[in-house]
Amino acid sequence: VRRFVVLLAVLLSVAIFAAKYGGTVRFLIGVDVTTLLPGNIPDSISTIVGMHIFEGLVDYDENLRIIPVLAERWEILDNGTAYVFHLRKNVKFHDGADFNAHAVKKNFDYLFSANLRNVGQYKGIIKEVQVIDDYTVKIVLFQPNSTFLYRLAQSTGWMVSPQAIEKFGHDPALMSKNPIGTGPFMFKEWKAGESVELVKNPNYWRQGLPYLDRIIFRVVAEDVSRVNQVRAGDADFMYNPPPALFAALQQDKSLKVEVVPTVRTIFIGLNTSRAPLNDVRVRQALNYAVDKEKLCRVLMKGLAKPSDSPLSSRTFGYFSTGGYPYDPNKAKQLLKEAGYENLKLELITPKGRYLNDYETAVAIQGMLKEVGVTVDVKPMEWGSYVSKILSRKPEDWDYQMFLLGWAPGTAEGHQVLFPLFHSSNRMDSPNATMRYNNYFYSNPKVDELIDKIAVETDEKKLLEYFKEAQKLVVQDAPWIFLYEMNIAAVMRKELQGVKIYPTERVSLAEAWIDR
Amino acid sequence: LLKFVVRRLLLLIPVVIGVSIVSFSIMHMIPGDPARIIAGEGATVEDIMSIRIKYGLDRPLIEQYLRFMKGIITNDLRSIRTERPILTELLPRFANTAQLALVSIIISSVIGVTLGIVSAVKRNSWIDTFSMVFSLVGVSMPIFWLGILLIILFAVTLRWLPSGGKGGIEHLILPALTLGLATSAIIARMTRASVLEVLNQDYVRTVVAFGLPKRKVIYKYVLRNALIPVVTVIGLQFGYLLGGAVLTESVFGWPGLGRFVVDSIFSRDYIAVQVGIMMIATTFVLVNLLVDLVYALIDPRLRRG
């Protein structure tokens, strides 16, 4: 009898917890999709929509580990300069075209020949794409590259139907309007400024998926309106609610709130090229003077976590350096040593670009006041702000402190360290490839480590280099290290199986509605 | 009359050229580089450069302007941000905005004119007080706040109407009402003042003295004359609404022109902003022309003008 009861319980729970088929999810987005041509996608919203239509050779999972998708497995040859991918068979694009090695080659050829907007992710890295046989493709690199698989996992590496490239490839707008991939959902309609509708791919290669019949991504610009629509039951999913409404949303019984840490760090850049911030003691003092715990708790309401490295703790390569604990006395002492006891500094910040960006700047103004540093906070509109802090004109290099966020698209640390801290990417460097080092930071040891990280294929050594580089950067303090952002999602209680990634991606491939 | 219309239409050309020069200069005067903003976080130097070259952003300003005007004439301009032909971006949004503007202007004219006339005729009655308080509140209330209140009441709490987005007629009610209430307040005040003024005119006193029924006096003699300034206000408001009611569009997720132009300004999509503004300016001129034609309809004296 007992056995029978157990069996019954198991069966019952399977019946209750088994995913159910059917239904539509209405997913709210804050701005319209920019483009659905993978090689041109610049933003996370287009990526979220696109990842339901397209797939790449590889992808990363929610823990940012590389997983096979359209490639079943791969070998790394010739000291890391060649990748041989064995492709999945019996996969078809939404238009019926076969996915095979020729399709892979066609995609890379198209990316390079049409010079798509994100071609820089592979230019100078991929030397050649060779078709070995129908289901084997070899990608030859100029030199070993530790980030290569992560680069393939980005939207630029998604595979588009070769027939679509043939038909629409001459016009990026047509490609964008006819997105044809191998993913769990097929594109149905895009009403500009209004919505994008996807429907289930009945021939999806992952058996039994997807559960949903339809996804509608709907544009609602105002975040309060997005919250209200989900509360009213007019929509099923939204993310980044205003923190002020956070507590009320968590209490609403018809909703679920999920918080996921991301690879995005928020920091204050310090211009190390000019006095007084050219003195490392001053920069360290500023770090000691900021109470990061308090910022996260009081201001960010738990939607952020103090950071102790230029990398987020979710980013591949992260090492916990311990950072700068809150210690106002030490800050005062360091300032005294440096001879700056009544310091005046200017902090420029965007307003509304990141959650509570301006509010954070003002809070820091208060904290620095306590160690005798007077800060003038100046908010700026994003476009003007970017042109100021990423300017190539020497007369613009007079800024002192600026608040900024960074999220590596590859989800690994090289795309943090290289653009932001390599001296070849300084604003005044003539041959920069990713010019974002606007604190004019340079440390030959850090440069050397970053160069090694770029080409190292042995994971153990790689992590060792990452660790050393992070320690040095934290020591040199070209930033005030603030916090790592979390992403908060609000959904109807019935919605199950949504995957939220630390790269601000959201997948409904395995989602279902529990009615 | 035909000559008048043709002349006004010809006048449109210098207006549009002027607007294009002004919007072009302003867009290029504010700091910010579309290539940098559009390429996104983590773009390489080369990627940014290639966007700049593709859209001619590295060329001298005069050349950029001439290229832009040539693009207008040959209709091969594309949004820098989305790379789609600019008219396929703007026209559907303009249609959405026009739909919203039309319904709101009808709502506000009906409410505004009715309240205005009633409160002028029954001056100092409770109706007058009520409608003037109503219009004071309407004028002073921030529109996005009213919108959010209406959403909370009718969509979240009562669940009678959808909280936003575009769809059937039910999706139009809340945003149109939000815009309409604010606008009707202005129209009501204008109508009241205008009707009061006409009521005090000698000829009105004369027909009243002749013993005509009050109702007839109002409809036949007062309204016609009082309506001219009211039509002007309605026309101006309509033109303004056609330019896109950014706040209302944002709150209700209405895919209109205003929101798109604002987003384009933020991403420095010069082409989308410039064409959008030229479109708004053209509509404004056309609506004004329409208003003048309506004058002629109301007042025969103006027909020859």
Side-chain angles (χ1 to χ4, degrees), chain B residues 74-88:
Chain B
T74 56
N75 187 26
D76 61 356
L77 287 174
R78 278 165 188 260
S79 153
I80 305 178
R81 188 161 46 133
T82 63
E83 298 205 283
R84 307 216 278 175
I86 194 65
L87 286 183
T88 60

Side-chain angles (χ1 to χ4, degrees), chain A residues 230 235-238 254-258 489-498 500:
Chain A
V230 177
D236 304 290
F237 187 96
M238 64 90 57
S254 61
L255 305 178
K256 267 193 301 195
V257 179
E258 240 176 82
V490 180
M491 62 194 101
R492 303 293 301 173
K493 193 137 233 150
E494 313 81 72
L495 185 56
Q496 309 286 333
V498 178
I500 301 167

